Amino acid sequence: MQWRIIKAFAIAAAAMALWEAVVRLDLVSQIILAAPSHIVLAAAQDGGVFLHAFATTSIEIGAAIVIAWTLGIVLGVVAGSSHTLAAATAPVLSSIFAIPLIILYPLLMAWLGIGPLSKVVFGVLSGFFPIALNTIDGVRAIERRYLVFARSIGATKFQTYARIIFPLALPAMISGLRVGTGLVVIGVVVTEMLASLGGIGYLISYHRTLFNTGHVYFGIMLALVMSVAVNIGLTWLDRRIGLWRMREQAEG
Amino acid sequence: MPVIEVSKLGKDFSAGRARVRALADVSFSVEEGQFVTLVGPSGCGKSTLLQILAGLIAATSGEARIEGERICAPMPDKIGMVFQDPTLLPWKTALANVEFPLDLRGIDRTARRKRCAALLELVGLSEFADHYPHELSGGMRQRVAIARGLAQDPRLILMDEPFAALDEQTRTRMGHDLLDIWAKTGKTVFFITHSLTEAIYLSDVVLVMSPRPGQVIDTIAIDFPRPREVDIIGSEAFGRIRNRIWHLIAEAPA
């Protein structure tokens, strides 16, 4: 057991050493590949600035996730509950989803400025559509017998939505949440790189123009940390919900 | 006062431009504590009638009353329902499923837990209280649904072909156990099935329905003594009643 951990560390250390050597021996230009020592140096030099940017981006992403989930789920449940509404909205939503939304960013910038607000709004736009579409599908797929059952036990409209429809649609919703949340992260970081005053994307883009490759790599690593954290959260959620997705299939 | 009182009930559906008469002039009544079964071929309007009694759809003409009250909406405190599909919530345990109707009515957790554990015991599932629906057999799920139907302590239970999806052995056993539950609780049961055997074995009264439009063409009192054993199904008297119902249905214009 311990031997395996030691081996893993040894392999990682060897890879780092090789990486360092490749750069030091000028086998690859330092502009293309930063050595591990350069990244550490960048962190030591500008750690505070990066930490601040990390916080900015995290807040933008967090806000955009909350809004995208709320809007997507609420609209999805409402539209999904009515055959007519679903038929009217789903095709529109899926055609908008097919547009590369980044072409709208210049407009958002003009309307909302280059501060965090335009990042959050773009993040929401990126994540909203798959969440709403999957929620609509999830609600549409609920069998009528559950609704008949709800009426027969005297459930109120709110109870029917909150206690029966929502949990039944949850397994379908989660796949929308996975795609949508990933797109929120991408949306926020990409727009930071295009034009902004702060955030990880901004720092990556800024240092790239100055050929500070070490800083660029450090920024990329921080962005990766964010994606990994979001992904861990989603996997946890998926597993919890996945548990009774299985149960549901068994009952089917 | 009869628990169910139906008089001259009619129901039309519009199918495209045509109007289909699903029920015509249906009249009958069910007394307190009786086990009454409505039997008829598929598509004769049995389920339509049950949905009207449950307050899920409105009749076109005539009227139906439950405990003297005209039906215009579901009456969860008066009627418990059991459907062909158990329709359990997959993320809830057996016990939580039974508790669900009481939970929605805001009944205190300890009170409802005690009551629902007793109901699970009544249907023979005490040991499975913490199991999820996917861990239960088809028959067990339907037992949970029966316990859930009893949760709000209604005086009347409406059952819409509850055993139709089960294999024959399980079905026979469920019928036998249902009679036991019925005897212990003293509820009034209105049961729908297309199985003549099931109808005769279970009931005090069998209402025979003919299709298009659905009409009650005969009311047959079944007076085998209770408690009944499954053996009576093979008896000559049982066979005579079944033949009689069979001819009634077969001779009705289809």
Side-chain angles (χ1 to χ4, degrees):
Chain A
M1 200 52 189
Q2 244 169 0
W3 184 233
R4 251 181 38 202
I5 297 169
I6 294 167
K7 240 177 17 188
F9 268 105
I11 291 171
M16 293 288 238
L18 185 70
W19 178 0
E20 185 78 34
V22 163
V23 182
R24 288 290 162 124
L25 297 172
D26 256 338
L27 296 176
V28 178
S29 157
Q30 287 189 13
I31 290 169
I32 294 172
L33 187 65
S37 59
H38 294 144
I39 300 173
V40 175
L41 208 67
Q45 269 177 5
D46 287 325
V49 178
F50 273 96
L51 213 63
H52 184 74
F54 187 81
T56 306
T57 307
S58 300
I59 292 167
E60 287 167 356
I61 289 176
I65 287 176
V66 171
I67 299 170
W69 281 32
T70 313
L71 287 181
I73 290 172
V74 168
L75 187 124
V77 170
V78 170
S81 316
S82 141
H83 179 74
T84 330
L85 220 51
T89 50
V92 177
L93 292 179
S94 46
S95 2
I96 298 176
F97 184 40
I99 300 172
L101 289 172
I102 195 76
I103 58 172
L104 299 177
Y105 189 64
L107 289 177
L108 279 183
M109 238 169 22
W111 296 338
L112 307 168
I114 61 170
L117 184 60
S118 63
K119 313 297 178 287
V120 172
V121 171
F122 187 77
V124 170
L125 265 179
S126 310
F128 166 78
F129 294 98
I131 297 173
L133 283 167
N134 277 279
T135 307
I136 291 176
D137 284 348
V139 174
R140 292 304 305 149
I142 294 173
E143 292 164 71
R144 218 182 76 88
R145 60 192 169 99
Y146 285 103
L147 307 178
V148 172
F149 161 65
R151 287 185 60 202
S152 79
I153 59 166
T156 62
K157 238 192 160 102
F158 177 76
Q159 286 174 331
T160 306
Y161 275 104
R163 308 288 304 273
I164 297 177
I165 293 178
F166 181 80
L168 280 174
L170 211 42
M173 254 181 236
I174 187 78
S175 42
L177 292 179
R178 282 210 92 112
V179 176
T181 310
L183 290 176
V184 168
V185 176
I186 295 171
V188 168
V189 175
V190 163
T191 49
E192 276 180 357
M193 293 179 77
L194 281 182
S196 64
L197 306 166
I200 289 293
Y202 166 75
L203 284 185
I204 293 173
S205 180
Y206 172 81
H207 286 288
R208 198 202 62 80
T209 56
L210 299 177
F211 297 105
N212 289 335
T213 314
H215 286 73
V216 173
Y217 273 66
F218 185 51
I220 291 172
M221 282 169 63
L222 290 180
L224 284 178
V225 167
M226 247 174 258
S227 303
V228 169
V230 166
N231 205 46
I232 287 172
L234 287 169
T235 306
W236 173 82
L237 194 70
D238 197 1
R239 200 163 303 154
R240 288 209 52 167
I241 292 164
L243 268 181
W244 49 263
R245 186 178 349 196
M246 279 174 354
R247 284 171 201 151
E248 185 175 34
Q249 276 162 1
E251 200 201 16
Chain B
M1 188 201 337
V3 177
I4 305 178
E5 205 174 2
V6 173
S7 58
K8 297 191 183 306
L9 200 70
K11 176 71 186 174
D12 296 344
F13 284 112
S14 36
R17 229 171 274 170
R19 278 183 89 67
V20 180
R21 191 121 244 246
L23 296 174
D25 234 10
V26 174
S27 301
F28 64 89
S29 65
V30 174
E31 298 300 325
E32 168 128 40
Q34 272 190 319
F35 197 124
V36 175
T37 296
L38 183 70
V39 72
S42 303
C44 72
K46 303 190 292 287
S47 286
T48 306
L49 177 58
L50 192 100
Q51 286 182 54
I52 293 173
L53 292 179
L56 296 169
I57 57 174
T60 313
S61 59
E63 64 169 25
R65 290 172 183 275
I66 302 285
E67 293 174 22
E69 191 183 327
R70 204 179 161 142
I71 302 164
C72 49
M75 298 188 246
D77 48 341
K78 290 194 169 151
I79 302 175
M81 294 211 50
V82 180
F83 306 95
Q84 179 174 336
D85 189 293
T87 315
L88 302 179
L89 303 179
W91 61 93
K92 286 185 178 291
T93 62
L95 182 60
N97 265 291
V98 178
E99 285 180 42
F100 189 67
L102 300 178
D103 185 7
L104 291 193
R105 298 189 74 185
I107 287 168
D108 161 70
R109 191 191 188 87
T110 38
R112 67 172 199 251
R113 184 135 294 181
K114 197 171 151 220
R115 167 161 178 68
C116 294
L119 286 172
L120 271 186
E121 189 173 353
L122 178 71
V123 300
L125 286 183
S126 293
E127 288 160 49
F128 295 91
D130 296 327
H131 285 57
Y132 287 91
H134 80 283
E135 298 167 326
L136 302 174
S137 70
M140 287 170 163
R141 285 179 208 153
Q142 201 54 280
R143 285 169 195 271
V144 175
I146 292 171
R148 185 181 61 188
L150 292 166
Q152 310 204 52
D153 203 20
R155 279 157 74 191
L156 171 66
I157 308 288
L158 297 180
M159 305 183 91
D160 188 5
E161 307 210 29
F163 308 144
L166 303 175
D167 64 82
E168 200 183 332
Q169 284 94 324
T170 311
R171 184 174 188 159
T172 309
R173 223 179 109 208
M174 291 290 288
H176 183 263
D177 292 355
L178 176 62
L179 285 185
D180 199 39
I181 294 165
W182 170 68
K184 280 181 186 155
T185 55
K187 303 289 179 196
T188 309
V189 177
F190 188 74
F191 192 99
I192 283 185
T193 181
H194 57 253
S195 158
L196 304 187
T197 307
E198 192 172 61
I200 302 164
Y201 172 62
L202 296 174
S203 316
D204 295 320
V205 175
V206 174
L207 302 171
V208 185
M209 207 161 176
S210 75
R212 262 159 286 203
Q215 264 174 318
V216 175
I217 50 175
D218 207 349
T219 304
I220 298 169
I222 313 289
D223 40 21
F224 291 111
R226 296 188 187 266
R228 291 177 188 167
E229 286 309 320
V230 179
D231 309 12
I232 63 164
I233 293 173
S235 73
E236 204 190 318
F238 196 99
R240 267 202 304 275
I241 300 171
R242 190 168 48 201
N243 285 342
R244 182 173 154 207
I245 298 175
W246 166 246
H247 285 295
L248 277 169
I249 291 173
E251 281 154 23

